[in-house]
Amino acid sequence: ETILIVLLFLLFYTIINHIKKQKNNTQSFLIALSIWAIFPAILSNLFGIYLPKYTIIALPAFFILIGFVISQIQNKHIYYSTLFFVTFFIGTTNLPIIFTPVHDATLLTKKIEQQETNTSVIISMPFQETLVLNRYYKGNNKIIPAYPLEDNYSQEERIVRKNWQTIPTTDETIHTMMTKYTKGKDKVFLLQYIKNGKLIKWLEKNNWTHIETTKIGYYAPQYLMIYER
């Protein structure tokens, strides 16, 4: 990430220097391209959205600017070396995006179906992910949304009111919730977007043994963690 930030800084620094040397028409065109290339990234960061599908619209402008900078190089050796490096860098960094599915919930649900028992429990964190999991899960157990609040809302209303919001919790509320979910169970399938957190700490503290972790997706990956006792 540091290398990418440095390269982007050098790229736009070079572009700015070249813009200053251009005539009015070319200058306006390059400024417009620069805004096109930068604006989606700024907007996605302001809203905390980091998935490529929201910033990919900037790629045409970004690649045109890179091509413009390379075209300004007069020395043939430097020109071809830069062209090779940029092509190699863009190609290798984008391979995971090309070949890795963004998200395939069936990879997780099938694994659960293969290993679940009558005394296992499936817990989804965040709780609204049950919408996706229930669509593909064909097993015999109920997928339980990890929802620590005590209220009378239905699952649908909870999703509308609390979707992707941070819900304040304490060790006591986590203990009450997890004790309720795991009562009489000897196997836990925990689905999360992180490999740690309060639920993991609770399981480890209460003598649950980690068996394995499965990761799916490249951007915003999801983890299936299996615990037994």
Side-chain angles (χ1 to χ4, degrees), residues 15-28:
I15 290 169
I16 291 169
N17 283 335
H18 281 297
I19 287 175
K20 293 177 180 178
K21 300 174 185 178
Q22 303 303 313
K23 295 179 180 179
N24 288 338
N25 290 339
T26 306
Q27 199 174 67
S28 299

Side-chain angles (χ1 to χ4, degrees), residues 7-228:
L7 290 173
L8 288 173
F9 175 79
L10 291 174
L11 172 66
F12 283 105
Y13 176 78
T14 306
I15 290 169
I16 291 169
N17 283 335
H18 281 297
I19 287 175
K20 293 177 180 178
K21 300 174 185 178
Q22 303 303 313
K23 295 179 180 179
N24 288 338
N25 290 339
T26 306
Q27 199 174 67
S28 299
F29 178 67
L30 291 173
I31 291 172
L33 280 176
S34 299
I35 294 171
W36 179 9
I38 297 172
F39 185 72
I42 294 174
L43 197 63
S44 67
N45 275 275
L46 286 175
F47 287 98
I49 302 171
Y50 306 106
L51 296 178
K53 66 180 181 180
Y54 297 110
T55 55
I56 200 168
I57 192 174
L59 287 182
F62 186 71
F63 288 135
I64 291 171
L65 288 171
I66 291 176
F68 171 77
V69 171
I70 294 175
S71 70
Q72 302 301 303
I73 299 174
Q74 302 298 320
N75 186 294
K76 285 188 176 181
H77 295 292
I78 298 176
Y79 173 84
Y80 286 111
S81 298
T82 304
L83 186 62
F84 172 79
F85 173 78
V86 169
T87 304
F88 177 80
F89 180 78
I90 292 174
T92 53
T93 53
N94 282 279
L95 283 177
I97 301 174
I98 296 169
F99 294 106
T100 305
V102 175
H103 191 85
D104 185 358
T106 59
L107 297 176
L108 299 179
T109 56
K110 286 180 180 178
K111 193 173 188 67
I112 295 172
E113 291 163 16
Q114 292 168 357
Q115 298 190 32
E116 67 179 345
T117 67
N118 293 330
T119 53
S120 61
V121 61
I122 308 165
I123 302 173
S124 172
M125 169 67 82
F127 70 93
Q128 67 271 12
E129 285 299 300
T130 53
L131 288 175
V132 177
L133 297 168
N134 283 327
R135 169 67 178 78
Y136 299 102
Y137 174 64
K138 308 299 181 185
N140 299 317
N141 290 299
K142 181 181 178 182
I143 299 175
I144 298 176
Y147 188 79
L149 302 180
E150 294 290 339
D151 57 43
N152 296 318
Y153 300 133
S154 66
Q155 172 68 351
E156 290 74 19
E157 192 169 359
R158 287 173 176 175
I159 291 172
V160 171
R161 290 173 175 270
K162 302 292 184 179
N163 185 30
W164 288 112
Q165 294 184 28
T166 300
I167 300 177
T169 58
T170 63
D171 290 341
E172 184 179 350
T173 58
I174 293 295
H175 179 73
T176 301
M177 180 185 74
M178 291 298 288
T179 300
K180 176 183 176 182
Y181 293 164
T182 60
K183 184 178 180 180
K185 308 296 182 180
D186 57 12
K187 192 170 192 176
V188 171
F189 296 94
L190 177 62
L191 295 121
Q192 293 191 149
Y193 281 99
I194 55 175
K195 290 193 292 185
N196 47 35
K198 293 182 178 180
L199 303 192
I200 298 293
K201 290 180 180 178
W202 185 90
L203 288 167
E204 293 174 350
K205 184 179 179 180
N206 287 270
N207 302 317
W208 287 85
T209 303
H210 176 254
I211 303 301
E212 63 175 301
T213 296
T214 301
K215 172 186 173 183
I216 66 162
Y218 183 71
Y219 287 94
Q222 192 172 15
Y223 300 92
L224 168 62
M225 287 158 281
I226 302 175
Y227 283 81
E228 291 182 352

